[in-house]
Amino acid sequence: TTLRFANGITKKANYTIVTTVSNEMKLQLTPGSFWRKNVDNLPGYLTLLAVNAGEGFVSVGPMNAQKGKDIATVFERPKIYSSNTKLYRTHSHELHVKGAGFTKVLSKPQIKFDPPLEDGEDFSIKVISREEMEITLLDGKAWRDDVGPLKIMGINSRGDETGWVAMDGEGVHVADIIDD
């Protein structure tokens, strides 16, 4: 089986077909390849134009438009960069987190902090760009109960349960929390 994608990726060079059943195919990205190269346009769709199962290519999606079928949404893998920012435990209300893969569309990033904080209850998130988020501590809340490091343990930019990306090791240090 050969697939033709709108962005020109090809079998063997960019991906392999892992399994095929009557109504499903599982593809695996080749190391060093990307489902979509232009990260500035992510998240974005992976569009299948045609399938050749041995009898020649057959178009998929709307036949008249010849636009294919969007078969997946591709997200940039999110990253968090370490920071030595100092925040007062309750008096500092903004933390700017730098990294990559932060999304403004389709879903808002979810973050797991150490010590734990709850989005909507303790803080809110605003995505400035794909490389920066602003995390705002809500009124009457604290970054932590005592002084010490604030770490991000995981991030999810896709909005589904399988989209969580764990940070390496002991999490990423994003701030030192100091006494008010």
Side-chain angles (χ1 to χ4, degrees):
T1 303
T2 306
L3 307 174
R4 184 179 297 149
F5 290 95
N7 63 350
I9 62 173
T10 59
K11 187 174 170 184
K12 293 183 184 171
N14 303 106
Y15 69 91
T16 57
I17 298 174
V18 179
T19 59
T20 303
V21 292
S22 63
N23 63 349
E24 181 179 279
M25 262 185 180
K26 200 174 267 190
L27 308 178
Q28 183 173 359
L29 196 61
T30 303
S33 291
F34 300 93
W35 292 117
R36 294 196 39 167
K37 277 200 174 233
N38 189 348
V39 294
D40 291 333
N41 291 335
L42 294 180
Y45 297 108
L46 180 63
T47 304
L48 180 63
L49 298 175
V51 178
N52 181 350
E55 299 291 322
F57 279 101
V58 176
S59 296
V60 296
M63 296 297 282
N64 294 339
Q66 296 184 357
K67 292 197 175 192
K69 179 96 175 130
D70 296 334
I71 61 166
T73 304
V74 180
F75 289 82
E76 180 179 8
R77 184 176 177 84
K79 298 178 195 128
I80 303 288
Y81 299 144
S82 182
S83 171
N84 290 322
T85 300
K86 299 212 182 307
L87 298 174
Y88 292 111
R89 202 174 64 75
T90 62
H91 292 174
S92 299
H93 286 270
E94 283 185 5
L95 169 63
H96 286 262
V97 174
K98 306 278 184 172
F102 308 145
T103 58
K104 286 186 174 186
V105 295
L106 300 180
S107 70
K108 144 183 120 164
Q110 300 168 304
I111 296 175
K112 288 182 184 173
F113 280 103
D114 179 29
L117 296 169
E118 291 295 321
D119 188 7
E121 186 178 314
D122 298 311
F123 68 92
S124 65
I125 297 175
K126 177 182 173 187
V127 175
I128 310 272
S129 71
R130 63 174 275 276
E131 297 174 333
E132 182 178 4
M133 290 185 294
E134 179 182 274
I135 300 174
T136 304
L137 185 67
L138 299 179
D139 290 340
K141 300 296 179 175
W143 291 109
R144 51 181 295 150
D145 293 333
D146 54 357
V147 299
L150 181 65
K151 297 178 183 179
I152 293 179
M153 304 305 288
I155 182 169
N156 183 347
S157 61
R158 290 187 352 199
D160 61 8
E161 198 52 44
T162 58
W164 282 99
V165 175
M167 299 294 104
D168 293 333
E170 298 292 316
V172 177
H173 183 275
V174 290
D176 285 312
I177 308 304
I178 59 176
D179 278 328
D180 290 342

